[in-house]
Amino acid sequence: MKIYVTRKIPQSGIDKLVAKGHEVDVSQKDGVLTREELLAALKQKPYDAVLCLLTDKIDKEVFEAVPTAKIFANYAVGFDNINLNDAKEKGVMITNTPGVLTETVAEHAFALILSITRRIAEADKFTKAGNFHGWGPMMLLGNDVSRKTLGIIGLGRIGSRVAYHAVKGFDMKIFYYDVKRDENFEKEYGVDSTGSPRAQFASVEDVLKNSDFVSIHVPLLPETKHLISAEKLKMMKPSAYLVNTSRGSIIDEVALVEALKNKIIKGAALDVFENEPALAPGLAELENIIITPHIASATEETRSKMSEIAAANIIAVLDGQAPPNPVLQK
Ligand code: GLV
Ligand code: GLV
């Protein structure tokens, strides 16, 4: 059968599709297809499946460009780029790539936590610019992580893994918010030497008020858009740091620029942005922020596994089987 892949991805998944005897066309453009390019590409052949990326906006018009496609396999765990109602209406199966990127994204979230508090990016720039003229007792002072409080907004696979690093590696205390409380998670971490729980369920407001670091791990939904607003930023401690590896629009980015300028919070480290690849005006000029270009799942290992999982979802659906990772049941 015929499969269209909207951008070059690691070869391992493509090889699986080809080994199954499928014909695979991969976009040759070194970049995101424009809307027009995407529609034109999908009209080239009666494709049976499409492997798309989080940078492709997928909706009714796209499904109508390729009415033969039974599945759109998203090369991401997030799927806010896809209109699920339109997919349902058109009877198209949507799948994602959960699980394989959990540890990788959690590692990046922790890299950001350590980097922002220890001013790693700033220190690197400072040193490479020739400003290191000898050890200094007051030079580039940061803050400790050990035994501080980490706030987790969204205790899914990734949020739980970040909590694991925090408690096991840094003796941190956890305040977490999720749509549902997870008592097993709380039990797993028990109490500290003073008898107080290491992991506590709390409202978003209480997570923000109590944490030295806040790490965001919710999916982007109408209910989570601008969950971190100007008002919520004011609830955080002036000494706190905000980290986001989920989706940019969870934070009101313009409000964050103001909060960082006015020292409402101490710093932020972001991997995702509201209008990627654009950054809110002023964001990149701030000293107290670290920004990475949506690379939290970007390891050689994980990006290959994501390719294989997306392929496995396509293979299952084209074989008439249920895919391993559906995000919408028909
Ligand atoms: C990356 O942002 C993903 O959703 O996989
Ligand atoms: C995403 O995979 C999550 O559950 O955090």
Side-chain angles (χ1 to χ4, degrees), residues 54 75-79 97 101 245-247 272 294 297 303 306:
L54 63 93
Y75 183 78
V77 66
F79 44 83
T97 62
L101 45 64
T245 50
S246 61
R247 284 294 179 268
V272 286
H294 203 150
S297 71
R303 288 287 166 86
M306 287 166 66

Side-chain angles (χ1 to χ4, degrees), residues 42-222:
L42 295 176
K43 286 175 185 164
Q44 294 175 105
K45 291 182 191 170
Y47 290 109
D48 300 285
V50 178
L51 196 159
C52 58
L53 311 187
L54 63 93
T55 41
D56 301 317
K57 268 247 150 310
I58 307 295
D59 57 16
K60 193 167 169 166
E61 194 184 12
V62 175
F63 296 129
E64 284 170 354
V66 57
T68 42
K70 293 175 197 65
I71 169 174
F72 273 62
N74 210 37
Y75 183 78
V77 66
F79 44 83
D80 47 279
N81 57 307
I82 301 180
N83 186 318
L84 295 183
N85 288 330
D86 290 352
K88 192 171 182 181
E89 192 188 310
K90 295 287 170 191
V92 180
M93 178 65 77
I94 305 298
T95 61
N96 67 340
T97 62
V100 287
L101 45 64
T102 303
E103 293 179 359
T104 306
V105 175
E107 286 175 13
H108 195 76
F110 235 91
L112 291 178
I113 289 172
L114 294 171
S115 299
I116 187 64
T117 184
R118 298 307 301 273
R119 304 171 65 175
I120 299 297
E122 207 182 326
D124 176 74
K125 232 188 277 169
F126 172 91
T127 312
K128 287 176 179 165
N131 294 325
F132 180 37
H133 304 302
W135 185 86
M138 301 299 282
M139 192 168 76
L140 285 163
L141 303 185
N143 293 107
D144 288 323
V145 169
S146 292
R147 282 171 297 282
K148 295 277 174 71
T149 297
L150 174 65
I152 305 250
I153 310 270
L155 193 77
R157 289 169 288 247
I158 298 168
S160 306
R161 184 70 183 172
V162 172
Y164 170 88
H165 290 306
V167 179
K168 301 280 184 191
F170 297 89
D171 258 329
M172 293 178 90
K173 255 174 96 142
I174 307 290
F175 273 85
Y176 75 97
Y177 165 78
D178 197 275
V179 285
K180 58 180 190 319
R181 185 172 171 182
D182 183 345
E183 289 179 30
N184 286 331
F185 167 78
E186 292 167 33
K187 266 194 218 115
E188 193 181 326
Y189 292 119
V191 292
D192 64 17
S193 54
T194 70
S196 80
R198 286 202 185 85
Q200 291 183 57
F201 182 63
S203 63
V204 172
E205 289 75 9
D206 284 337
V207 170
L208 296 174
K209 282 179 195 158
N210 286 295
S211 301
D212 302 302
F213 298 86
V214 173
S215 192
I216 314 278
H217 301 287
V218 286
L220 177 60
L221 300 166

